[in-house]
Amino acid sequence: MSDWSLLDGMAADVAPRLLGSLLIREYKGQRLVGRIVEAEAYDQTDAASHSYHGSTPRTDVMFGPAGYLYVYFTYGMHYCMNVVCGPKGMGAAVLIRAVEPLNGLEAMESNRRGKTGIELTNGPAKVCQAFAIDRAWNGHDLRAEPFRLQLETSLPAEVVMQTTRIGITKAADVPWRFYVKGNTYISRP
């Protein structure tokens, strides 16, 4: 499936729609593939969003167009990646919180310094580390190699869980975290 127009929607609508889609990275001769199993929505109306105070050099990519990667550095040591969404000019993105690794496990494990199993990709910084994504990828078009998003058919509503987001203090009560029910790779049930 490749209907990129779905990314033009509001972040809270796009986030559950990304569940089940694939992140695919060509890396050192290997193909790394992970299925998105957890995501969080953020937009400029949301006090927890980086775009809340408007466009800055750091957040400019969040203001569109949709389908690009927004990568930021947090806690002085981790990268996190987001899929930019919404209409151009609206600062919005979906944080990729967790993926289920499907291919390229050896390379991912090496990138994660030997971590295996659910510890491999069950958190946003872990996903970036496993896929070797850093700030240099900020602004990358996710329709282009060597790192792309492959949109898949929406998952049935009964397997999509919705809760409040994790690890934030502002707007912590907003239920914009979505995950695949029963998937062991989510960061927290």
Side-chain angles (χ1 to χ4, degrees):
M1 176 164 193
S2 59
D3 183 9
W4 287 87
S5 66
L6 76 91
L7 296 179
D8 293 335
M10 301 304 292
D13 296 326
V14 173
R17 175 61 190 82
L18 287 177
L19 297 178
S21 291
L22 304 177
L23 291 173
I24 303 169
R25 167 106 198 262
E26 300 301 328
Y27 176 76
K28 295 184 178 181
Q30 293 190 51
R31 185 180 187 99
L32 312 182
V33 181
R35 178 180 295 116
I36 299 170
V37 296
E38 183 180 359
E40 288 180 346
Y42 293 89
D43 74 31
Q44 70 187 43
T45 66
D46 169 23
S49 177
H50 293 172
S51 62
Y52 185 65
H53 295 291
S55 181
T56 66
R58 176 188 185 201
T59 64
D60 186 53
V61 71
M62 285 184 77
F63 288 82
Y68 285 76
L69 200 60
Y70 168 54
V71 180
Y72 65 90
F73 194 58
T74 188
Y75 301 120
M77 66 174 114
H78 298 297
Y79 293 99
C80 294
M81 74 170 109
N82 300 256
V83 176
V84 174
C85 61
K88 189 170 182 175
M90 171 71 165
V94 174
L95 172 67
I96 305 303
R97 282 205 57 86
V99 303
E100 178 181 351
L102 302 177
N103 196 64
L105 267 65
E106 185 176 301
M108 288 186 205
E109 289 169 358
S110 176
N111 290 341
R112 289 275 297 126
R113 299 180 186 97
K115 297 289 184 186
T116 60
I118 61 171
E119 284 294 314
L120 191 58
T121 53
N122 68 337
K126 295 174 183 182
V127 173
C128 280
Q129 192 175 31
F131 279 81
I133 299 297
D134 59 20
R135 186 87 168 118
W137 288 91
N138 189 53
H140 173 73
D141 184 346
L142 286 167
R143 290 166 278 218
E145 299 291 351
F147 186 49
R148 61 189 179 85
L149 171 66
Q150 181 176 307
L151 298 172
E152 297 290 335
T153 304
S154 295
L155 295 177
E158 61 269 13
V159 301
V160 175
M161 303 303 294
Q162 182 175 359
T163 67
T164 54
R165 296 171 295 187
I166 297 172
I168 58 173
T169 55
K170 296 177 182 174
D173 60 335
V174 176
W176 283 0
R177 173 180 171 243
F178 303 88
Y179 65 91
V180 177
K181 182 180 182 179
N183 190 285
T184 58
Y185 284 90
I186 63 171
S187 61
R188 194 180 306 165

